[in-house]
Amino acid sequence: IKDAFCFSCHTGIRFSDWNNLTPDNIVLVNHEASIVQAIKFTMFKVHKEVIVPLDEYSLSIIEKYKEYATIHSKLFPVYTNQETNRTLKGLAKEAKINDVIIEVKKSGANRKTYTNAKHEILTCHDARNTFATLYLEQGGRPEVLKKLLGHSDIKQTMRYVKITEKAVIDDYIKMTNITNKGKIVELKQ
């Protein structure tokens, strides 16, 4: 489950899709006189065919389960969504991923605030969110991300993106050409 989650963090593939990948989904793509390994599949939810290039980390996970794939015709062991999410929460708790997450949910004029440790709310879908956020933070184009995620509208894609505080500051510094030569201000707690 951990490997499949990490694979999804590197590819943006949904649980319903990575649970159904087979060795036949791995393809070679001729790209500018070189060969790129990718996964080609039809997304279960939206019935769109996508090709997702594979990085070295994703390929190492596929290699790890090569024997399993040969025997079972699936790239990874198959678990239910509920079992996967339960296991992910346990792994995150063991890893002490305890950052507090505050969520505000609105329904009409009503607002309700929820406070949870990150390990309590982690699901396999968070890998897809992670992929989208990191892709854009590393300079990927939103319209390409839209295609990789199989979305028909860029607004769908942007809902996945959680821009980090570090990314905001880094981007602001880059775009305004300010430097860190200014006065250091010590924050009081």
Side-chain angles (χ1 to χ4, degrees):
I1 288 174
K2 178 191 70 146
D3 288 334
F5 182 81
C6 291
F7 183 83
S8 186
C9 286
H10 281 255
T11 60
I13 295 174
R14 284 181 187 89
F15 171 82
S16 57
D17 294 321
W18 56 256
N19 220 9
N20 290 312
L21 291 174
T22 70
D24 293 338
N25 293 117
I26 300 172
V27 297
L28 301 177
V29 178
N30 189 352
H31 176 73
E32 296 180 359
S34 65
I35 301 296
V36 175
Q37 288 189 60
I39 291 202
K40 181 178 181 180
F41 64 100
T42 301
M43 288 186 166
F44 178 78
K45 185 176 178 181
V46 294
H47 309 292
K48 283 186 180 178
E49 186 174 83
V50 293
I51 295 177
V52 179
L54 297 168
D55 62 11
E56 287 182 36
Y57 185 79
S58 301
L59 290 168
S60 74
I61 293 173
I62 290 171
E63 182 65 29
K64 182 176 178 179
Y65 292 94
K66 196 174 190 174
E67 189 175 316
Y68 177 89
T70 303
I71 296 167
H72 300 283
S73 298
K74 295 276 187 184
L75 281 187
F76 308 114
V78 176
Y79 301 96
T80 66
N81 196 354
Q82 294 80 5
E83 186 178 7
T84 300
N85 288 335
R86 196 172 29 255
T87 301
L88 286 173
K89 285 171 177 43
L91 290 169
K93 187 174 183 176
E94 275 182 48
K96 295 180 175 38
I97 300 175
N98 296 320
D99 297 351
V100 174
I101 303 294
I102 299 172
E103 293 180 287
V104 178
K105 303 219 176 179
K106 294 186 251 180
S107 177
N110 299 325
R111 293 170 53 117
K112 183 147 176 140
T113 303
Y114 299 91
T115 304
N116 295 297
K118 196 179 272 187
H119 71 264
E120 294 172 343
I121 60 173
L122 182 68
T123 68
C124 54
H125 199 71
D126 290 317
R128 192 163 159 85
N129 293 336
T130 298
F131 172 78
T133 301
L134 294 176
Y135 184 86
L136 291 178
E137 281 186 1
Q138 293 171 10
R141 298 190 334 237
E143 62 276 15
V144 174
L145 178 61
K146 174 183 152 276
K147 182 103 172 141
L148 287 168
L149 295 178
H151 292 156
S152 56
D153 186 343
I154 195 75
K155 289 178 187 173
Q156 281 178 291
T157 305
M158 296 314 286
R159 283 195 302 242
Y160 278 79
V161 179
K162 309 293 187 268
I163 303 300
T164 63
E165 183 178 299
K166 179 188 179 312
V168 170
I169 293 169
D170 288 348
D171 200 55
Y172 184 82
I173 289 170
K174 182 176 116 187
M175 298 310 293
T176 60
N177 295 318
I178 66 172
T179 65
N180 289 332
K181 294 178 184 172
K183 189 168 108 178
I184 295 175
V185 177
E186 192 171 314
L187 299 176
K188 295 180 181 176
Q189 294 189 7

